[in-house]
């Protein structure tokens, strides 16, 4: 399975023009460096941002799943004065019904397995993604 996490243009995986290569969503907006360092967001603001993002993506996922990528860096979010807000945000995510907490590897694999051929022999999504959001957890890339 080959995929990349470089494109921030969608909240669903999609095939690239290279056979067998997929784009798994990545977020610049929900990334701790621009939020804390660039925008000086408070810990409470971070928690609320994560919750609002999940709630909206979950609502958008009525017909097929969405990916909420949460980019975290230990040297930013791991600071002692921020960890309680990260814990609160993650508790909200993992306790939300219908959320699949997973890795980018598993998202790409699931997406590849739900692709089917159209009439022209091309692979297209069959839209059998789980309802709700998939949240990549730290894992091998």
């Amino acid at each position: 399975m080959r995929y990349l996490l470089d494109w921030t243009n969608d909240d669903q995986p999609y095939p690239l023009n290279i056979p067998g290569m997929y784009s798994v969503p990545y977020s610049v907006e929900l990334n701790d460096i621009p939020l804390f360092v660039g925008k000086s967001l408070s810990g409470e603001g971070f928690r609320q941002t994560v919750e609002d993002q999940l709630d909206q993506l979950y609502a958008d996922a009525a017909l097929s799943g969405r990916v909420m990528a949460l980019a975290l860096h230990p040297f930013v979010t791991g600071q002692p004065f921020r960890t309680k807000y990260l814990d609160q945000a993650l508790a909200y995510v993992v306790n939300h019904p219908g959320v699949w907490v997973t890795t980018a590897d598993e998202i790409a694999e699931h997406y590849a397995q739900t692709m089917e051929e159209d009439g022209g022999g091309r692979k297209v999504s069959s839209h059998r993604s789980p309802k709700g959001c998939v949240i990549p957890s730290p894992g091998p890339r």
Side-chain angles (χ1 to χ4, degrees):
M1 176 60 50
R2 297 184 321 168
Y3 64 90
L4 55 86
L5 298 166
D6 297 334
W7 294 102
T8 61
N9 61 335
D10 206 336
D11 53 15
Q12 292 184 310
Y14 58 88
L16 297 172
N17 290 333
I18 301 166
M21 178 71 89
Y22 302 95
S23 175
V24 173
Y26 180 78
S27 177
V28 173
E29 292 295 318
L30 206 57
N31 183 316
D32 62 356
I33 291 176
L35 288 175
F36 284 127
V37 179
K39 297 179 181 176
S40 300
L41 194 67
S42 69
E44 184 65 27
F46 172 78
R47 182 201 51 79
Q48 188 64 55
T49 298
V50 170
E51 291 179 9
D52 291 346
Q53 181 85 349
L54 176 61
D55 290 343
Q56 185 59 55
L57 286 172
Y58 191 83
D60 293 346
L63 299 177
S64 66
R66 298 290 188 265
V67 174
M68 185 178 101
L70 182 56
L72 303 173
H73 304 86
F75 61 92
V76 177
T77 310
Q79 295 299 315
F81 64 95
R82 291 185 179 127
T83 56
K84 78 175 181 178
Y85 300 105
L86 174 62
D87 289 346
Q88 292 169 3
L90 293 178
Y92 185 80
V93 169
V94 300
N95 291 309
H96 195 287
V99 170
W100 176 31
V101 178
T102 188
T103 65
D105 285 352
E106 291 171 329
I107 293 168
E109 182 65 32
H110 173 79
Y111 183 76
Q113 289 176 359
T114 62
M115 299 290 287
E116 54 190 35
E117 286 192 22
D118 67 4
R122 294 177 307 238
K123 294 270 193 175
V124 294
S125 176
S126 62
H127 298 289
R128 290 191 301 248
S129 297
K131 182 179 183 330
C133 300
V134 292
I135 315 298
S137 62
R141 180 171 172 190

